[in-house]
Every structure is written in C-alpha cells, then in structure tokens.
Amino acid sequence: MSKPLETASPLNLKDLDREGLRTAFVARGLPAYRGDQVFRWVWRRGAVEVAAMTDLPAALREDLERSARLPRLEPHATRASPDGTTKLLVRLDDGRDVEAVLIPDGERRTLCVSTQVGCAMGCAFCRTATMGLLRDLRPWEICEQVLVAERILRARGERRVLQLRGRGAAGKVERRLTNLVFMGMGEPLHNLEGTVTACRVLTDPQGLAFPPRRITVSTVGLADRIEPFLARTGVNLAISLNAPDDAVRERLMPVNKKYDVDALLAVIARLPLRRRQRVTFEYVLLAGVNDHEADAERLARRLRGVSERVKINLIPFNPHEGADFERPAPQRVERFRARLLSGGVEKVHVRRPRGEQILAACGQLAAREGGVG
Ligand code: SAH
C-alpha cells in the first residue's frame, strides 16, 4: 500500500504542471499516471473537488481530500466597457488583487493576465511600477485568471467545446478563450518559474490545450532569460522596446542599463523562430518623448538586420494620474507608423485603445482600487 499523501505538506493540485504532478505522486509512492489523471480532471474536466474524480481509487480520493488542496479564486469586481472589454479584479488569498482584462474582438477572445502583484522594473510611464513589487504570483494564481475568465464567458452564454485529437489528449474541452497575452501587471520573466509552469499548464494537450502560438508573453527584455524561457514553453515573445536608442530607453526603462538595445537585437537575431513567426516589439508612444519622425527613422535603421524577424506594435500611451506623459495626437501616430514602413520595417500595427472607460491599461485599476494591499 502506498504511503498516505497526508504525510506530505498540503499538495496544491493546481500549482504544478503535469510533469510536476507526476513527480509529486511518485514521491508519495503512487504511480505517475495518477498525476496525469488528476491533471486532466482539474484542467480538462474542470473538477472543483477531489470527490468528483471518480476514476481514482476510493482510498486515494480520501487521501487527497484530506491532504491536497484544489483552491479557486473569484473576481471581486468586474467592469465592462461599452466596447466589450472587461476588467477583472481577482482577489488573492492574502487579500491582494491582481487584474486580468478580457478583450473580445470578433471571434477572438483574448485575455491579458498578470504574473506579479506590482512590479520591480520601474518603467517611468507605467502605472504598475508605482506599486513596487509586492510578490510573485504562483503558477496556479496565473492559471486561475484564465479559469475565472472562462466562467465569465460561460455565464454570458458563450458555448464553445473543442474536440481535441492526439495521443493522450483526445477528448472534449470547453475553452472559450482563443488567445492569451501576458501583458498585465508584473514582469513575466522576473517571475520565471511561475510563468514557465503556468504556460506549461495552459498549453498542455491534456489540459486546456492552448496552442503555444496563441500565447504571447511580453517582457521588458531580460535578455539572458529569453531563450531558456522560449525553449521551455514554445510561446510567442513580445519585447517592450519603447525607444529608438539607449539614451531614450534608459530614461524610460531602468532595465536598459543592464540589457540594452544591442543585447536585445542580438538575442532576436539568433532565436529559433517557426515559419512566419515574428517577435513583437512593443513601442509605447509618448508625446514629445519618443514619437518624433526622427525616432521612427532611427528605429527603422536599427532594426534593419532583423527586419524579417520582428513586427512592431505601436501603443499610444494610456494616461493615468502620476505619470507626466501624454498621448500623441492620432496624426502623429500615423506619421510615426508611415516612417517605420518607409524605413523598411515590414509589419507595423497600431493598437486601438480599448476599455479606456474602465482603466483597462496595464495596472491602472488594481493600483487605483487599493490592490497594493
Ligand atoms: N512587464 C512586461 C509586461 C507588462 S506591460 C513588459 O514590460 O512587457 C505590457 C505593455 O504595456 C508593455 O509594452 C508596456 O510598455 C505597456 N504599457 C505600460 N504602461 C502603459 C501605459 N500607461 N500606456 C500604454 N502602454 C503601457
């Protein structure tokens, strides 16, 4: 007979990827495939209690009920904007809040998730930065934002059941979200293990089975963590560049002192990309700071060596109290875009402002409503 699980500290069944769950079960003298079973119950079939896991032996279920946790988070506030964007404030067990933003667009359902409470990166224009870093999110707290959003979409009457194929993965899964972006509060690569595990849970074919190419993780550019991170997750990468050169970038993003523009370009030049896959450069447009036509020209020149590997996402600044920046006028944004294109950048996208009425921009709602805890 196996060692009872209760001898171990409470096992959080949502906080490990499938490999981790297999290892945890083996460590307790149980067969590894029990870990797969539990993983599928939690992520594929949405079990909210161990009692529902009917194909586990009764003794194991009793053990798990006593010694394992299957925690769940709830949104404590949601705000919907007229354009359909919905901001979710998710209350953590320690009373702090993190935010996630649900962005419907045609058939697409994108969720923007957070990876930390607050952030340590100190970018000058960012609302989350004003909070400082309070703590990393656990993997399950990142994944739970996805489950919360799924429940909201379901309550809205959205029915989407996917038929999955493949060895060990075949079956039905309810997944209404189509895309995930890690662009909420926090720096994902500063919470490396939490983000890796969350990505592995979310992309596991035996779970919610998000295709890795439907997940984009956005980073300030912690250059030496990028390749290992992508090798372990296979997801898409976005880098917040925000400036045409080191002088401007250093003023906006303290991280540039450690990892400068050249360091980022060098990483991008050697990343193993899939066919047609590109790294996104995000560029927050700040009036009079980094939005001159000359900035666009310099940026275009700088990107020449990697032009087939990148695309640019221009984000007109979302104003918030406590930031001395302004959003450029639409014509200026358009001129910036045109200069990039004529300078040889192949793909430039301007992000449409969404959910402004509900402060959907990075960090704004949680910071205002006291998520600082
Ligand atoms: N730490 C990660 C992810 C969070 S920020 C990163 O920096 O990429 C996600 C994106 O929002 C980044 O590109 C950031 O530059 C941008 N951003 C932050 N505050 C903003 C604001 N007030 N207006 C517009 N974009 C903002």
Side-chain angles (χ1 to χ4, degrees):
M1 181 55 204
S2 61
K3 188 161 48 130
L5 284 166
E6 53 194 326
T7 56
S9 58
L11 174 67
N12 182 342
L13 298 175
K14 276 186 167 168
D15 207 30
L16 295 169
D17 60 14
R18 192 156 52 81
E19 198 53 50
L21 216 42
R22 287 167 61 90
T23 307
F25 277 72
V26 169
R28 288 161 174 77
L30 293 156
Y33 70 85
R34 296 289 182 210
D36 296 325
Q37 271 178 300
V38 169
F39 185 89
R40 288 194 296 267
W41 273 110
V42 172
W43 299 106
R44 173 66 67 88
R45 300 164 87 166
V48 295
E49 51 180 19
V50 172
M53 304 180 184
T54 46
D55 58 1
L56 298 183
L60 174 57
R61 251 181 291 153
E62 280 163 29
D63 256 0
L64 289 174
E65 270 172 55
R66 277 194 303 268
S67 65
R69 301 197 305 132
L70 201 53
R72 184 178 154 120
L73 297 175
E74 299 292 344
H76 86 95
T78 64
R79 284 212 219 160
S81 164
D83 66 14
T85 305
T86 304
K87 177 96 143 188
L88 319 173
L89 273 187
V90 177
R91 178 60 49 92
L92 304 171
D93 290 344
D94 59 8
R96 293 183 165 133
D97 290 333
V98 281
E99 60 182 44
V101 183
L102 179 57
I103 310 155
D105 189 7
E107 290 297 296
R108 214 183 249 234
R109 299 284 175 275
T110 303
L111 185 72
C112 174
V113 300
S114 296
T115 55
Q116 295 179 314
V117 189
C119 184
M121 298 297 118
C123 300
F125 49 83
C126 177
R127 179 77 197 231
T128 306
T130 63
M131 299 169 69
L133 176 63
L134 298 170
R135 70 170 173 91
D136 283 339
L137 292 185
R138 297 287 318 171
W140 77 273
E141 293 171 319
I142 299 172
C143 296
E144 196 63 14
Q145 297 169 52
V146 173
L147 296 187
V148 166
E150 284 287 341
R151 290 201 292 274
I152 286 172
L153 290 173
R154 170 189 225 165
R156 287 182 183 171
E158 297 207 5
R159 297 273 169 269
R160 192 158 165 269
V161 179
L162 302 173
Q163 181 65 55
L164 299 175
R165 281 172 252 286
R167 226 172 108 88
K172 289 187 168 54
V173 63
E174 291 189 42
R175 172 159 59 67
R176 295 157 189 87
L177 291 169
T178 58
N179 297 71
L180 298 178
V181 294
F182 285 58
M183 297 182 185
M185 301 167 77
E187 166 49 40
L189 300 192
H190 191 212
N191 178 11
L192 185 66
E193 288 309 315
T195 302
V196 166
T197 302
C199 287
R200 291 172 59 96
V201 167
L202 295 167
T203 55
D204 195 307
Q206 297 195 27
L208 290 170
F210 276 92
R213 64 178 187 283
R214 298 289 190 90
I215 298 182
T216 300
V217 170
S218 176
T219 174
V220 292
L222 302 183
D224 54 9
R225 296 187 172 192
I226 288 175
E227 289 166 285
F229 171 73
L230 294 179
R232 292 170 72 190
T233 60
V235 300
N236 287 326
L237 178 72
I239 299 179
S240 299
L241 189 64
N242 297 338
D245 58 35
D246 289 316
V248 179
R249 193 163 191 268
E250 214 169 284
R251 274 179 46 211
L252 298 175
M253 304 178 70
V255 69
N256 196 73
K257 294 190 187 83
K258 186 144 187 215
Y259 304 108
D260 62 12
V261 178
D262 274 343
L264 297 175
L265 293 175
V267 171
I268 287 174
R270 61 174 188 258
L271 278 183
L273 297 176
R274 295 183 289 266
R275 232 161 59 82
R276 285 188 300 168
Q277 187 187 13
R278 286 170 188 258
V279 174
T280 302
F281 269 136
E282 292 155 290
Y283 193 106
V284 182
L285 283 165
L286 307 165
V289 176
N290 64 357
D291 69 335
H292 308 95
E293 289 182 56
D295 293 328
E297 284 159 15
R298 260 184 303 163
L299 179 58
R301 270 199 304 279
R302 198 74 189 263
L303 296 184
R304 269 199 194 132
V306 292
S307 65
E308 285 133 50
R309 311 191 128 232
V310 299
K311 58 185 170 191
I312 295 195
N313 201 352
L314 298 175
I315 314 174
F317 176 64
N318 270 303
H320 54 87
E321 316 143 17
D324 273 341
F325 296 105
E326 279 168 41
R327 170 184 298 181
Q331 310 86 284
R332 253 181 108 87
V333 174
E334 189 41 49
R335 275 206 294 274
F336 196 91
R337 191 181 81 97
R339 279 275 177 264
L340 286 176
L341 289 170
S342 63
V345 178
E346 294 170 11
K347 290 192 180 288
V348 185
H349 178 258
V350 178
R351 191 185 292 173
R352 237 176 340 133
R354 302 279 317 241
E356 294 202 325
Q357 298 86 337
I358 53 165
L359 297 176
C362 181
Q364 294 192 8
L365 186 59
R368 169 178 290 192
E369 297 200 351
V372 189

